[in-house]
């Protein structure tokens, strides 16, 4: 039974409906037939019973005289008359004591008798009628009839009902099939549609059911579901596409510089790893260029980050245009770029590629009505073979770049084995320099600045010295660039200003007033708050602002007239004395120079060292002195080593001079003696000079 129901559960709905309709029609037909049979049976049986009772009553009245007369033969003749009725199977008169008075049974030849035999065991009906005389029951007439015609009637009606049922089932089945198709065809269409959607994934298909019944609602619900799925899939597809775009954008951002759009350090690592794994034969070798922009920090700090970013973009574009499509340009970080030259035949070809890069970078560019000149230092390292590690190649090019920068910038250096040692030493010195100030390894020496006309000491220039506990004295030419690159120069510069100004305040309390000159680094000067910091330091030192002299270089002020003029103007307004160091060695601009609030020009030692013999140096020096007079500035000559040089500079009108001819830089403990001796000699000469006119009188 369970298997039957499971089978029925799994067949299509159309077959289920057909089976249910057939079973329903059959059951209803059978029930109708059974009810009809019962009704017909009840009616016909009662009718037959009534007719038999009437017949039996007539026979009983006729048989009463014979019974009274005890004439059994006559009684049997009367009973025999019942044989005319084909339905009568027999009759008998039974006395009260149970004795049969008379009886009748049709003979075999009689139609009724033959039927009686044929129907032996079939439906029979007995009717008993009392024979009464004078209110006394004399006997009982028992008539036995065959009621086969009742069965015939029932069979007739039953056959008619069955025929009607068959006809009804045929007609009903035809109607049911149509109704089933009204129900099952839309369902089948929905099933087929779902299969098509699930197989080909085409969510644009829709059900076309237009009825207003539950099936129509099912179709509408299905369409809404498909539309919802389509919308969700569209949204998911858009989200997935957007996620892929975001992932691609994030990957691009992770591998490319956000300012220049060039590949970055991470891309460089990935690409070089791929190149190292590539075992395919290659023509030529590889060269790596490590490029560092000179003085980029100055441009970025003074002109703003937008200007610095624009400069980086221009440099990136120029680098990309200067190399081949097979080469790789990378912004490595900050102001550093790396170029990988592929398939390089030899070192001269690598040098040629580096020269093209340098020439492309140094071209001036204009922005916001301002011309910018940017230079770079390039280190070149050639791969010894296809298996050389890029990290090693990068270290070599980096070391060569630092050599190029130390040699004066704006140049190219090829890696040599000794450079790696120098680079390693540089990094070690940078780490040790961070501890030098705290460990009191740094000190200031002071070089006297002499008034050439009188020989009197007018001031001092503070110069930093480093006494390394293991390396011994470290030259300023070595550690100052390291401090500049690392940013430590700001801390060192502020320490030098406070120490020098404080020392000068103590000397001025003992001797005639002297100014103290301190060199300002480019990083310090690019600080927008430098002027206020300088005032704070001077105020803390106790030295009058007018005795505080700050030395700046041409490269610091000439590249940015507006910001430099503002800072210099603030310092001058506060009372600081300002001097321009190494004048004439850079790209001096007289138009810019007259805008700056400067008090002195320092003539570089390169113009002094060949005096008085070199005519050209003499002419340049004279021109600088004349320019300073025109601009109401004083001049200071550096590097004076002979009396002839001092005499000529004095003759040209230079006010101040410094150099080994007067004194080397002295430690603080020796400066007081020098000042005392100088001022005593000056007082003696002045006294002698004043005494001569008195003697003459």
């Amino acid at each position: 039974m369970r298997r039957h129901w499971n089978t029925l559960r799994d067949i299509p709905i159309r077959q289920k409906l057909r089976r249910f309709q057939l079973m329903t029609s059959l059951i209803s037909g059978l029930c109708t037939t059974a009810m009809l049979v019962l009704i017909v049976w009840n009616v016909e049986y009662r009718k037959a019973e009534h007719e038999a009772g009437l017949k039996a009553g007539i026979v009983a009245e006729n048989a009463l005289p014979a019974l009274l007369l005890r004439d059994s033969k006559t009684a049997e003749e009367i009973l025999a008359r019942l044989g005319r009725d084909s339905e009568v199977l027999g009759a008998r008169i039974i006395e009260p004591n149970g004795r049969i008075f008379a009886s009748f049974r049709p003979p075999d030849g009689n139609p009724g008798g033959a039927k009686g035999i044929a129907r032996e065991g079939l439906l029979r009906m007995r009717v008993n009628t009392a024979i009464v005389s004078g209110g006394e029951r004399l006997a009982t007439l028992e008539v036995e009839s065959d009621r086969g015609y009742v069965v015939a009637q029932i069979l007739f009606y039953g056959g008619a009902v069955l025929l009607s049922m068959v006809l009804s089932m045929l007609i009903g089945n035809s109607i049911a099939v149509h109704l089933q198709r009204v129900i099952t065809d839309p369902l089948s269409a929905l099933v087929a549609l779902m299969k098509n959607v699930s197989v080909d994934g085409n969510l644009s298909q829709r059900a076309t059911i237009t009825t207003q019944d539950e099936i129509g609602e099912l179709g509408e619900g299905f369409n809404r579901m498909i539309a919802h799925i389509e919308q969700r899939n569209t949204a998911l597809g858009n989200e997935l596409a957007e996620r892929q775009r975001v992932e691609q954008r994030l990957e691009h951002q992770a591998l490319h510089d956000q300012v220049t759009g060039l590949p970055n350090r991470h891309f460089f690592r990935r690409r070089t790893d791929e190149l190292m794994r590539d075992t395919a034969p290659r023509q030529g070798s590889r060269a790596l260029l490590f490029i560092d922009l000179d003085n980029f920090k100055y441009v970025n700090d003074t002109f703003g980050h937008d200007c610095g970013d624009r400069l980086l973009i221009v440099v990136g574009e120029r680098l990309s245009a200067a190399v081949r499509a097979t080469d790789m340009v990378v912004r490595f970080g900050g102001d550093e770029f790396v170029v990988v030259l592929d398939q390089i035949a030899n070192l001269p070809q690598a040098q040629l590629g580096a020269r093209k890069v340098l020439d492309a970078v140094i071209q001036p560019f204009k922005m916001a009505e301002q011309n910018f000149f940017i230079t770079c230092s390039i280190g070149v390292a050639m791969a010894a073979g296809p298996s050389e590690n890029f990290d090693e190649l990068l270290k070599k090019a980096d070391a060569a770049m630092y050599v190029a920068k130390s040699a004066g910038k704006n140049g190219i250096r090829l890696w040599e084995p000794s450079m790696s040692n120098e680079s390693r030493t540089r990094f070690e010195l940078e780490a040790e320099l961070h501890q030098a100030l705290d460990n009191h390894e740094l000190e200031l020496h002071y070089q006297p600045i002499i008034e050439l006309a009188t020989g009197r000491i007018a001031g001092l220039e503070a110069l930093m010295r480093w006494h390394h506990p293991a390396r011994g004295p470290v030259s300023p030419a070595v550690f100052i660039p390291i401090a500049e690159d690392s940013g430590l120069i700001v801390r060192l510069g502020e320490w030098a200003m406070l120490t020098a100004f404080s020392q000068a305040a103590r000397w001025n309390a003992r001797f005639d007033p002297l100014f103290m000159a301190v060199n300002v680094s480019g990083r310090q000067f690019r600080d927008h708050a430098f002027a206020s910091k300088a005032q704070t330091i001077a105020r803390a030192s106790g030295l009058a602002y007018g005795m505080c002299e700050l030395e700046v270089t041409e490269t610091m002020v000439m590249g940015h007239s507006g910001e430099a003029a503002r800072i210099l103007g603030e310092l001058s307004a506060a009372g600081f004395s300002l001097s321009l160091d190494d004048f004439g060695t850079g790209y001096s601009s007289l138009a810019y120079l007259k805008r700056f609030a400067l008090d002195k020009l320092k003539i570089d030692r390169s113009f002094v060292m060949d005096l008085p013999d070199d005519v050209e140096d003499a002419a340049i020096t004279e021109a600088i002195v004349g320019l300073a007079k025109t601009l109401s500035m004083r001049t200071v000559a550096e590097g004076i080593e002979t009396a002839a040089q001092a005499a000529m500079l004095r003759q040209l009108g230079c006010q101040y001079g410094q150099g080994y001819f007067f004194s080397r830089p002295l430690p603080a403990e020796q400066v007081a003696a020098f000042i005392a001796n100088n001022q005593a000699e000056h007082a003696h000469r002045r006294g002698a000079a004043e005494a001569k006119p008195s003697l003459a009188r």
Side-chain angles (χ1 to χ4, degrees), residues 275-291:
L275 292 176
M276 292 303 299
R277 290 193 298 268
D278 186 6
T279 58
R282 303 181 60 83
Q283 294 181 351
S285 184
R286 299 188 183 96
L288 191 145
L289 313 183
F290 199 104
I291 306 165

Side-chain angles (χ1 to χ4, degrees), residues 173-303:
N173 185 66
S174 176
I175 297 174
V177 167
H178 177 71
L179 292 177
Q180 289 170 10
R181 293 187 61 183
V182 172
I183 297 174
T184 60
D185 284 356
L187 293 177
S188 299
L190 284 177
V191 172
L193 179 59
M194 286 188 290
K195 289 181 178 179
N196 291 337
V197 170
S198 63
V199 170
D200 58 23
N202 183 6
L203 296 175
S204 63
Q205 304 178 76
R206 294 292 184 272
T208 57
I209 302 173
T210 58
T211 60
Q212 303 299 317
D213 55 5
E214 291 84 350
I215 297 178
E217 293 180 0
L218 180 62
E220 292 179 1
F222 181 79
N223 288 340
R224 287 194 297 271
M225 180 184 69
I226 293 296
H228 178 71
I229 294 175
E230 185 178 23
Q231 292 174 357
R232 186 186 64 182
N233 287 357
T234 302
L236 288 176
N238 294 337
E239 181 180 353
L240 180 59
E242 180 62 24
R243 182 176 298 177
Q244 291 175 344
R245 287 193 294 269
V246 170
E247 289 176 352
Q248 292 173 356
R249 185 165 63 250
L250 290 176
E251 183 179 13
H252 185 273
Q253 291 176 353
L255 298 176
H256 290 77
D257 176 53
Q258 300 303 301
V259 176
T260 63
L262 294 173
N264 61 13
R265 185 192 302 260
H266 301 294
F267 183 94
F268 174 81
R269 298 296 184 191
R270 176 184 293 186
R271 180 57 181 153
T272 53
D273 288 344
E274 293 174 355
L275 292 176
M276 292 303 299
R277 290 193 298 268
D278 186 6
T279 58
R282 303 181 60 83
Q283 294 181 351
S285 184
R286 299 188 183 96
L288 191 145
L289 313 183
F290 199 104
I291 306 165
D292 185 90
L293 302 182
D294 300 327
N295 302 319
F296 173 75
K297 177 68 173 175
Y298 168 74
V299 175
N300 203 37
D301 289 348
T302 55
F303 287 90

Side-chain angles (χ1 to χ4, degrees), residues 343-419:
Q343 299 182 4
I344 297 298
N346 47 45
L347 190 57
Q349 186 179 0
Q351 289 178 285
L352 180 60
R355 174 52 60 182
K356 288 178 62 178
V357 166
L358 181 64
D359 292 341
V361 171
I362 63 176
Q363 296 299 316
F365 76 97
K366 190 173 185 178
M367 185 175 66
E369 304 302 326
Q370 176 74 44
N371 286 322
F372 286 85
F373 298 87
I374 191 73
T375 61
C376 64
S377 301
I378 303 177
V380 182
M382 188 82 176
S387 61
E388 182 167 4
N389 189 285
F390 271 94
D391 288 338
E392 292 299 323
L393 202 61
L394 187 65
K395 291 178 183 177
K396 293 178 180 179
D398 189 24
M401 182 275 295
Y402 273 110
V403 173
K405 190 173 286 289
S406 300
K409 304 180 181 179
N410 194 28
I412 301 171
R413 286 294 183 274
L414 304 178
W415 177 81
E416 297 176 0
S418 60
M419 293 180 179

Side-chain angles (χ1 to χ4, degrees), residues 659-681:
Y660 275 39
F661 174 69
F662 302 109
S663 174
R664 61 180 179 81
L666 302 173
E669 58 269 17
Q670 298 180 15
V671 172
F674 182 90
I675 296 175
N677 292 333
N678 178 270
Q679 290 188 353
E681 291 179 2

Side-chain angles (χ1 to χ4, degrees), residues 115-137:
K115 183 183 293 186
I117 296 173
R119 290 173 180 168
E120 187 69 31
L122 295 178
L123 181 65
R124 294 172 183 270
M125 181 177 66
R126 287 182 177 88
V127 177
N128 295 322
T129 303
I131 301 175
V132 180
S133 176
E136 180 184 0
R137 186 184 181 105

